[in-house]
Amino acid sequence: MIRKRSVAFTIFLTMFAMILVACGGAAPATQATAEPQVVVQTQVVVQTEVVEQQVVVTPTPGPNPEAVMEVEEGATITFWTFFLSPTFDEYIQSTIARFNEAYPGVTVKWEDRQATLQEEYRNSLAAGNAPDVVNVPTGWVQEFAQNDQLLNMSEALPPAVQEQYFPDLFNQTNVGGSSFQVPWYQAVDAYLANTDVLENAGYTMDDLPTTFDEQKQFCLDFYEASGIPCGLRMQTGNLLQTMAYEGNVEVMNADGTAFTFDSPEAVQWLQDYVDLNEAGAIHRDLILLNDADDRIGLERFTAAQMPFYVTGPQLIRLVREGNPGRYGYLALAPRAIGRSGALPPVSMSIVVSQSTAYPKASAALAAFFSNPQSMLEFAKLVAIYPSTPESYEDPFFTQQPVAIEDQIRPLAEGIISQQKNILPEIPSPAEVNDIVRQAIEAAIFGGADPQTVLSDAVQQANGLIR
């Protein structure tokens, strides 16, 4: 009797151990999804008989793979975008929904701002009620970072998250050696050409300029042949950038103690625009058009009032919407490269306000909207280009494009990977930009001597260096 109980007890322990082993066959917790597994479980019925049966074991699902950092539980954050509603409402809302799946404890309130974004953001920062996360043109970032109004993303984001971007884009507007933005969608500045306007003047797409010097001569010759000016526009939010890339101008000395944008290279660059304006070869009211008013130039292009307009392919949709009959006469070509031989970043950034009550959740939202999956999905909707190398591994970027706005797509990764900031950190960038703008306006529109106005501007700008 004692022997029979011992055998029974041994059988019980063996079965219990087998069940534990079987239940322990779940997938690791790090997997994003869990598929049911068939596990062969062995039961000992009697010491001399073995029976095998299949038991279905469903593993515990792992964490969401897009949840890449810890966040504050119960956070509520406000997100402002720039000129994205109503066209991209569905994309923004679906991305927020995907973010909520990765970070279920965070609430996101989305608002879109348009032409008044910069002013509204400045005012909200001054009033202490700034939104937590904001989409801004990258040229605005340095001003806010130098005023200690933005979260340091080099510190807020884990290294693995920072590595999802092209390094030169993550670090394109560093202040004090740190990045205060994440790069969102990129543009490739291109010549958006009116092929019928070109052909009527005896030109083809092959005649478009490839260098800054060729661009000047092209516009002079084209205006003489057709009476139609070129659609050129400076980067008015960062005029030193335009000067540096187009004119190969060293805007500050090597140790950053003095401005130097009154050099012979700078004077020649400004004289080029003076010559174009005096000849009537450019639209004088567009050359210093503010970023927020870019649509004005595009509307004039749509009305066939210029041979080409320097803009991003993503804005072709506006031409198609405003004048569908014009769409068939459009073509794209890479824009002329400046005397510097470098390509400037043409970026939108996402920043986090320093005053946010939820820095972790806000940084996570910025990283989420700019991660490879979000970037790829956005690129499939409109001709923008990811800041994340992984996105370009998708066949979407290698297949032959059909639409006109997609003609640059197969070249995009190579172009984006070469974009980098060649400018030093500019002290008081907004104030310096205003000084430079006044000098440029005086020379182009007021007939002032380029050397004189640039030297005066350098002296004023040097007074801002602390």
Side-chain angles (χ1 to χ4, degrees):
M1 188 71 174
I2 294 175
R3 179 179 175 82
K4 290 182 180 179
R5 288 182 180 175
S6 177
V7 171
F9 184 69
T10 300
I11 292 172
F12 171 77
L13 287 179
T14 303
M15 292 176 62
F16 184 70
M18 293 294 182
I19 291 171
L20 287 179
V21 170
C23 292
T30 56
Q31 292 185 0
T33 58
E35 298 292 337
Q37 297 178 342
V38 175
V39 178
V40 177
Q41 177 176 301
T42 302
Q43 286 186 313
V44 180
V45 180
V46 294
Q47 283 184 303
T48 59
E49 184 179 0
V50 176
V51 177
E52 291 187 347
Q53 62 180 355
Q54 291 185 335
V55 179
V56 177
V57 178
T58 303
T60 303
N64 190 303
E66 291 191 284
V68 296
M69 54 189 293
E70 295 182 359
V71 299
E72 300 92 348
E73 187 69 27
T76 298
I77 53 181
T78 301
F79 179 34
W80 283 7
T81 55
F82 187 38
F83 269 117
L84 294 183
S85 182
T87 306
F88 300 107
D89 285 5
E90 183 177 350
Y91 169 74
I92 298 296
Q93 290 164 354
S94 65
T95 305
I96 291 174
R98 211 175 81 243
F99 174 81
N100 289 146
E101 292 176 0
Y103 301 99
V106 180
T107 300
V108 179
K109 296 181 178 180
W110 170 50
E111 301 175 21
D112 191 66
R113 293 292 190 271
Q114 303 203 346
T116 57
L117 171 66
Q118 187 174 32
E119 180 183 357
E120 288 185 70
Y121 190 41
R122 282 174 175 160
N123 291 341
S124 69
L125 288 166
N129 58 2
D132 302 275
V133 185
V134 188
N135 155 217
V136 299
T138 302
W140 300 357
V141 173
Q142 190 176 83
E143 171 195 340
F144 299 124
Q146 288 181 341
N147 291 335
D148 197 27
Q149 294 171 316
L150 300 181
L151 188 70
N152 186 328
M153 302 304 278
S154 294
E155 296 177 353
L157 294 178
V161 177
Q162 298 177 35
E163 291 168 3
Q164 73 182 352
Y165 309 105
F166 287 108
D168 284 331
L169 293 181
F170 182 73
N171 296 297
Q172 63 187 304
T173 53
N174 283 2
V175 172
S178 295
S179 175
F180 288 81
Q181 57 90 45
V182 294
W184 197 9
Y185 59 94
Q186 310 299 301
V188 175
D189 263 357
Y191 285 135
L192 177 57
N194 271 309
T195 58
D196 58 335
V197 175
L198 287 171
E199 290 170 4
N200 290 339
Y203 288 79
T204 70
M205 289 293 292
D206 292 337
D207 296 318
L208 290 178
T210 59
T211 69
F212 181 70
D213 292 305
E214 290 177 359
Q215 178 178 265
K216 176 182 178 181
Q217 194 59 50
F218 175 91
C219 291
L220 291 170
D221 294 343
F222 191 87
Y223 182 73
E224 185 177 353
S226 67
I228 298 176
C230 284
L232 303 181
R233 189 168 69 87
M234 297 181 186
Q235 175 54 264
T236 52
N238 190 348
L239 290 164
L240 289 182
Q241 181 191 74
T242 303
M243 190 183 296
Y245 285 92
E246 291 185 348
N248 196 30
V249 177
E250 185 180 271
V251 299
M252 294 192 78
N253 60 15
D255 56 6
T257 58
F259 286 100
T260 56
F261 57 81
D262 60 346
S263 62
E265 293 83 1
V267 173
Q268 181 59 58
W269 170 81
L270 183 51
Q271 185 64 53
D272 289 336
Y273 279 106
V274 171
D275 294 343
L276 286 166
N277 182 63
E278 289 180 349
I282 57 173
H283 287 266
R284 58 179 290 138
D285 57 336
L286 297 184
I287 191 65
L288 286 170
L289 196 69
N290 289 328
D291 293 347
D293 296 324
D294 185 41
R295 270 50 170 195
I296 295 174
L298 200 62
E299 289 170 1
R300 196 167 299 177
F301 168 85
T302 303
Q305 296 177 13
M306 59 185 75
F308 61 75
Y309 191 51
V310 179
T311 188
Q314 71 274 14
L315 294 185
I316 290 180
R317 64 182 173 82
L318 298 179
V319 178
R320 187 172 61 240
E321 293 167 2
N323 187 348
R326 171 63 43 192
Y327 182 76
Y329 294 100
L330 302 182
L332 283 173
R335 69 168 298 182
I337 194 167
R339 293 176 183 140
S340 67
L343 296 175
V346 187
S347 308
M348 280 290 178
S349 292
I350 302 179
V351 300
V352 175
S353 302
Q354 176 67 38
S355 59
T356 179
Y358 304 105
K360 293 180 180 179
S362 297
L365 182 68
F368 192 92
F369 261 86
S370 55
N371 73 21
Q373 181 178 343
S374 299
M375 285 272 71
L376 176 62
E377 291 179 2
F378 202 6
K380 289 180 177 180
L381 297 177
V382 64
I384 55 90
Y385 304 99
S387 56
T388 47
E390 183 181 327
S391 302
Y392 293 96
E393 297 174 7
D394 191 271
F396 175 76
F397 283 100
T398 58
Q399 61 192 3
Q400 188 64 30
V402 176
I404 294 170
E405 53 265 44
D406 297 333
Q407 291 175 352
I408 297 291
R409 188 197 298 161
L411 309 175
E413 182 180 11
I415 295 173
I416 297 297
S417 66
Q418 295 179 63
Q419 291 183 345
K420 62 179 180 179
N421 185 12
I422 63 173
L423 290 177
E425 181 182 334
I426 305 298
S428 305
E431 292 90 338
V432 172
N433 195 66
D434 286 342
I435 292 170
V436 175
R437 180 170 186 141
Q438 291 172 27
I440 291 173
E441 288 176 342
I444 295 178
F445 306 131
D449 174 59
Q451 180 70 71
T452 300
V453 295
L454 288 177
S455 293
D456 288 347
V458 163
Q459 185 175 359
Q460 294 177 56
N462 283 336
L464 297 174
I465 299 176
R466 298 176 178 85

